[in-house]
Amino acid sequence: MAAEDVPAVERLTAEGFYELDLRTTPPEWPAPTPRSEAKAQAWRRRMAHILRHDGQGCWVAEDPSGLIGVAAAIRRDLTWILATFVVRPGLQGRGVGRMLLDAALSYGSGCLRGMLAASGDPKAARRYRLAGFTLHPWMFLSGPVPRDLLPVVERVREGSAGDIDLMNSVDRRVRDAAHGVDHEVLTATYRLVVVDRTTGSGYAYVEPRGGPYLLAATNRRTATDLLWETLAASSPDASCTIAHVSAANEWAVDVGMAAGMSLYTSGYLALRHMRPPMPYLPSGHFL
Ligand SMILES: CC(C)(COP(=O)(O)OP(=O)(O)OC[C@H]1O[C@@H](n2cnc3c(N)ncnc32)[C@H](O)[C@@H]1OP(=O)(O)O)[C@@H](O)C(=O)NCCC(=O)NCCS
């Protein structure tokens, strides 16, 4: 992948994931929508960041029509992480994905662990399992959060780039690998809330519509307080989501249910040589 590919890569992933959502979303789930321009912009910024720091993990496939596939992986400490993986709809199931994933996996040689957020596409699950990943189904909770259900949460403060050392320490404790440079782009993109008490530390990046984009903490009590804080940022009239909840993170199911949200399952946490981290609600891209 070259820097000039980033806009076309963004379009390809928007098209690929929207087509997947239309194909797989049950009628009772929140209806799929095309990626907004604001999200597309954040996506390009994130991809440019990944390409700058992990260029050898970023691969595209082309045919005479242009770009037809992309796989991008990062390495943080000794963990290999897949950030994105898509083949153009209509050209899937013909072996392009296998070549792209093999190229991205080669960037992980020497890594001790691997992790990725797998979609519910059976073709993706097949590729990951054949590459040796263990698939842990995950849940998500969705729905509007009534104000009267929000508890008072104390000693959660606004965070900043000055908290990056603290967040890297929490990351290493929870998932053995710091987010490192990713915190630079994340602090510039998302609102950050932090807990730093004698009894526990943690942080959460908050989605613009409320709910967590990424949450990690040293214990469940701290994680629970942070998750409520992200839900408090939602609008009572709009649906909010807690995504990427593995069975090891039942504390998050309990918060979502206490908030009156509905529970569904979708996709997998795919891991190699590691157990599901907790308390941890990973992002889809940087995990
Ligand atoms: C996941 C994805 C990137 C894989 O790329 P691809 O080019 O389709 O992958 P491949 O053709 O190399 O491999 C697909 C495998 O699934 C098999 N397959 C095809 N259709 C299938 C189906 N309906 N159900 C199950 N397996 C299927 C293929 O035979 C192949 O297995 P094989 O190599 O053992 O024969 C692509 O399908 C895609 O973009 N999906 C939508 C977006 C997505 O889910 N991305 C993954 C994000 S985690």
Side-chain angles (χ1 to χ4, degrees):
M1 189 189 304
E4 54 270 26
D5 292 324
V6 169
V9 165
E10 187 282 314
R11 281 295 84 207
L12 177 63
T13 60
E15 185 193 338
F17 284 112
Y18 185 49
E19 189 273 340
L20 172 71
D21 287 347
L22 290 175
R23 185 156 41 92
T24 57
T25 304
E28 67 274 20
W29 289 13
T33 47
R35 190 180 286 162
S36 66
E37 182 43 38
K39 282 195 171 167
Q41 228 175 55
W43 209 99
R44 287 190 291 269
R45 200 178 318 137
R46 195 163 50 228
M47 191 70 247
H49 162 88
I50 290 171
L51 188 57
R52 201 160 49 245
H53 293 283
D54 298 86
Q56 290 172 47
C58 300
W59 297 86
V60 291
E62 289 177 332
D63 75 0
S65 73
L67 215 67
I68 60 165
V70 54
I74 63 177
R75 281 190 315 220
R76 296 293 171 263
D77 294 339
L78 291 175
T79 303
W80 175 95
I81 294 167
L82 188 65
T84 201
F85 180 38
V86 175
V87 168
R88 189 176 291 291
L91 299 176
Q92 295 169 5
R94 301 178 189 182
V96 177
R98 190 164 75 121
M99 288 189 280
L100 282 165
L101 188 61
D102 284 349
L105 279 167
S106 68
Y107 183 56
S109 78
C111 284
L112 297 180
R113 295 168 288 273
M115 64 196 303
L116 62 93
S119 70
D121 189 331
K123 299 191 286 302
R126 183 174 172 84
R127 280 277 63 87
Y128 300 142
R129 184 64 200 127
L130 293 178
F133 287 83
T134 298
L135 302 174
H136 302 266
W138 55 26
M139 302 168 264
F140 74 97
L141 294 112
S142 181
V145 179
R147 299 300 89 175
D148 57 345
L149 294 182
L150 292 172
V152 175
V153 176
E154 281 168 355
R155 289 192 295 155
V156 177
R157 62 167 171 81
E158 296 299 312
S160 71
D163 292 303
I164 288 179
D165 286 348
L166 170 74
M167 294 194 285
N168 280 329
S169 301
V170 173
D171 290 338
R172 289 201 176 96
R173 169 106 166 246
V174 173
R175 50 163 233 173
D176 285 316
H179 280 88
V181 291
D182 303 330
H183 281 306
E184 292 166 19
V185 74
L186 288 168
T187 50
T189 309
Y190 292 92
R191 181 182 157 220
L192 172 66
V193 289
V194 170
V195 169
D196 188 12
R197 307 171 184 148
T198 48
T199 50
S201 309
Y203 69 89
Y205 289 103
V206 186
E207 286 279 6
R209 63 176 185 277
Y213 172 74
L214 165 62
L215 185 156
T218 56
N219 58 41
R220 278 179 286 226
R221 171 74 203 276
T222 307
T224 297
D225 285 353
L226 284 161
L227 184 53
W228 276 117
E229 187 70 21
T230 72
L231 297 183
S234 67
S235 152
D237 311 318
S239 191
C240 180
T241 300
I242 306 172
H244 301 155
V245 185
S246 62
N249 287 276
E250 218 164 30
W251 61 273
V253 175
D254 293 338
V255 171
M257 287 192 172
M261 301 166 89
S262 303
L263 182 71
Y264 306 102
T265 70
S266 172
Y268 308 87
L269 170 62
L271 299 177
R272 206 143 84 155
H273 308 310
M274 62 188 284
R275 282 201 293 249
M278 68 76 75
Y280 181 50
L281 299 175
S283 77
H285 311 99
F286 299 117
L287 276 85

